Amino acid sequence: MDITDNVRLTATNPIIEGDLLISNEVIAEGNYIHKEYKAFAATRCGDKGKCITVLAIADEGHLDFVTKTSIELLKKGIFEEPSNASPYDNFNWKKFLSNKLLITYDEIRGGAKRTQINLCEDGTFKANVRKQGILKQTNPQYKGNMSGTWTAEGIGPQALLSLNFSRKNLTSLSVKLSFQDEQLYADGERFYASESTSCQ
């Protein structure tokens, strides 16, 4: 599975346990790969023609817990007849974004950038932006460690995320969020969301 244009996960030696296809060894290839992390993958298919795959990444000390939790989630899942209704009709962005880590990576010939934003439920955020090469000139004032407050306005498939920075020399930033084919985008740039470990 391609996670990004530059990162691919490959399950090795998968086994079948009941109605689950499980691989306890997943190899990551590409940019920004932390070798101390391990990955796990499992898939379960229902009788309605749909399958669910869980990909989990954790440090070696937590992988066993993550694996057990992922398998439990898959086993307890219920498959229902697919519906044409959009899952985003009444989507609550504030609830979805609270205590989330938003991540994006971009690498081109001659430059790279990585953005990580922890959005905490109390309305505060911490961000880290790294830029290299020609991508240093993309919004050059927004770089390094930043913090402040955030709000999200919108119910449905689109919302406006506003970041107000603690640093006085940074102007507020508003970003249009949307889901396209079940993928999260911020101003047209692909982002990934996971649970934040930095929010108290």
Side-chain angles (χ1 to χ4, degrees):
M1 175 178 285
D2 292 323
I3 301 300
T4 71
D5 290 341
N6 300 309
V7 177
R8 168 171 275 251
L9 295 182
T10 304
T12 62
N13 302 318
I15 59 171
I16 295 176
E17 290 183 4
D19 62 351
L20 295 179
L21 177 64
I22 299 173
S23 178
N24 288 319
E25 183 181 1
V26 177
I27 297 173
E29 298 174 311
N31 305 318
Y32 304 105
I33 302 298
H34 297 280
K35 299 299 181 188
E36 67 272 16
Y37 282 78
K38 302 291 182 184
F40 160 84
T43 298
R44 179 177 170 221
C45 295
D47 58 356
K48 309 293 184 187
K50 299 290 181 183
C51 297
I52 297 175
T53 298
V54 173
L55 294 171
I57 300 171
D59 60 69
E60 205 160 351
H62 293 94
L63 186 63
D64 189 52
F65 172 76
V66 169
T67 298
K68 289 178 181 174
T69 303
S70 300
I71 290 174
E72 183 180 338
L73 173 71
L74 281 174
K75 285 184 175 179
K76 289 185 176 180
I78 298 172
F79 288 91
E80 295 182 352
E81 196 70 39
S83 168
N84 288 333
S86 170
Y88 307 111
D89 284 345
N90 297 304
F91 193 76
N92 186 327
W93 284 93
K94 169 70 172 158
K95 182 178 179 181
F96 170 74
L97 293 171
S98 292
N99 295 328
K100 286 290 193 308
L101 168 62
L102 301 184
I103 304 171
T104 187
Y105 300 105
D106 190 16
E107 184 171 293
I108 60 174
R109 185 180 297 255
K113 70 175 181 173
R114 184 192 75 187
T115 301
Q116 296 180 316
I117 307 169
N118 286 281
L119 300 171
C120 299
E121 190 173 18
D122 65 2
T124 62
F125 77 87
K126 292 180 182 175
N128 179 270
V129 178
R130 295 182 186 177
K131 300 175 184 178
Q132 299 173 343
I134 61 174
L135 290 179
K136 279 186 176 180
Q137 302 310 313
T138 307
N139 294 324
Q141 68 273 32
Y142 300 104
K143 62 183 177 182
N145 293 320
M146 296 167 283
S147 62
T149 59
W150 69 278
T151 58
E153 298 178 16
I155 298 291
Q158 296 183 349
L160 191 66
L161 173 65
S162 297
L163 302 175
N164 298 301
F165 297 91
S166 301
R167 214 185 298 165
K168 300 298 182 190
N169 62 333
L170 290 179
T171 58
S172 298
L173 188 64
S174 293
V175 180
K176 181 181 167 186
L177 300 178
S178 63
F179 278 104
Q180 300 170 29
D181 296 324
E182 300 183 7
Q183 296 180 342
L184 177 63
Y185 287 85
D187 282 346
E189 185 175 3
R190 176 77 162 101
F191 269 76
Y192 301 87
S194 65
E195 293 301 316
S196 173
T197 58
S198 298
C199 295
Q200 301 297 327

